[in-house]
Amino acid sequence: MTEFDLVGVNCIDFIARDGIAMPIEINPRWSASMELVERAHGVSVFGVHAAACAASKLPTFDLTRGDTDTAVTGKAIVFARHDVICGDTAAWLGDTTVRDVPHPGEHIPAGRPVCTVFASSRDADSCHAALIARANRLYETLESWASVPA
């Protein structure tokens, strides 16, 4: 990124075609996938960013090395299927598979994001299935809140 005078965490949006990455945009900011790097490799991306900006220090971790039991880490956004007033979300705060937890009593209109869910597994298919299962458990909770009169 020296051509653009960028340091720290940046990202490149690209389209992959025939095994070739075709860059379409360079973003001088954090990307949503950084959370996945942190989870998969146990590294603080913000710490790496700060070290790069302050001292031009690059990380030494190996992106090809990961936890052998969790080769795939995934992230999905749970969207409200209908308007909902959130109930007690305190248990969600202690759940490492749920982030961006709404406040109790918060109104979330249909079609808007409720929270983010994560899963890790040995392969993409089982990771995808785990994300769906986790989202479905949250949808059950959201449905129970919808059935209670406001």
Side-chain angles (χ1 to χ4, degrees):
M1 297 278 189
T2 57
E3 292 178 30
F4 300 103
D5 198 29
L6 298 174
V7 295
V9 177
N10 301 280
C11 62
I12 299 173
D13 292 343
F14 65 91
I15 296 173
R17 183 172 183 171
D18 299 326
I20 298 172
M22 315 261 288
I24 57 173
E25 182 176 49
I26 296 174
N27 298 301
R29 60 177 161 72
W30 178 282
S31 72
S33 61
M34 295 299 107
E35 290 174 290
L36 299 176
V37 171
E38 289 185 333
R39 285 175 174 270
H41 297 282
V43 63
S44 165
V45 174
F46 183 80
V48 169
H49 173 77
C53 291
S56 298
K57 182 180 177 187
L58 296 176
T60 58
F61 68 93
D62 181 359
L63 284 175
T64 62
R65 179 200 55 78
D67 186 335
T68 57
D69 291 333
T70 56
V72 177
T73 301
K75 171 181 174 178
I77 309 301
V78 174
F79 288 86
R81 291 178 173 162
H82 48 75
D83 286 4
V84 65
I85 304 290
C86 294
D88 183 6
T89 56
W92 295 11
L93 294 172
D95 185 338
T96 61
T97 67
V98 182
R99 289 291 179 261
D100 307 317
V101 176
H103 297 283
E106 186 173 337
H107 172 254
I108 301 175
R112 301 293 305 196
V114 175
C115 63
T116 304
V117 294
F118 294 91
S120 295
S121 192
R122 290 186 179 268
D123 59 63
D125 289 340
S126 57
C127 183
H128 184 251
L131 286 169
I132 291 171
R134 185 65 190 104
N136 283 338
R137 289 193 303 274
L138 291 173
Y139 280 125
E140 288 175 11
T141 301
L142 293 170
E143 290 298 323
S144 71
W145 292 338
S147 62
V148 177

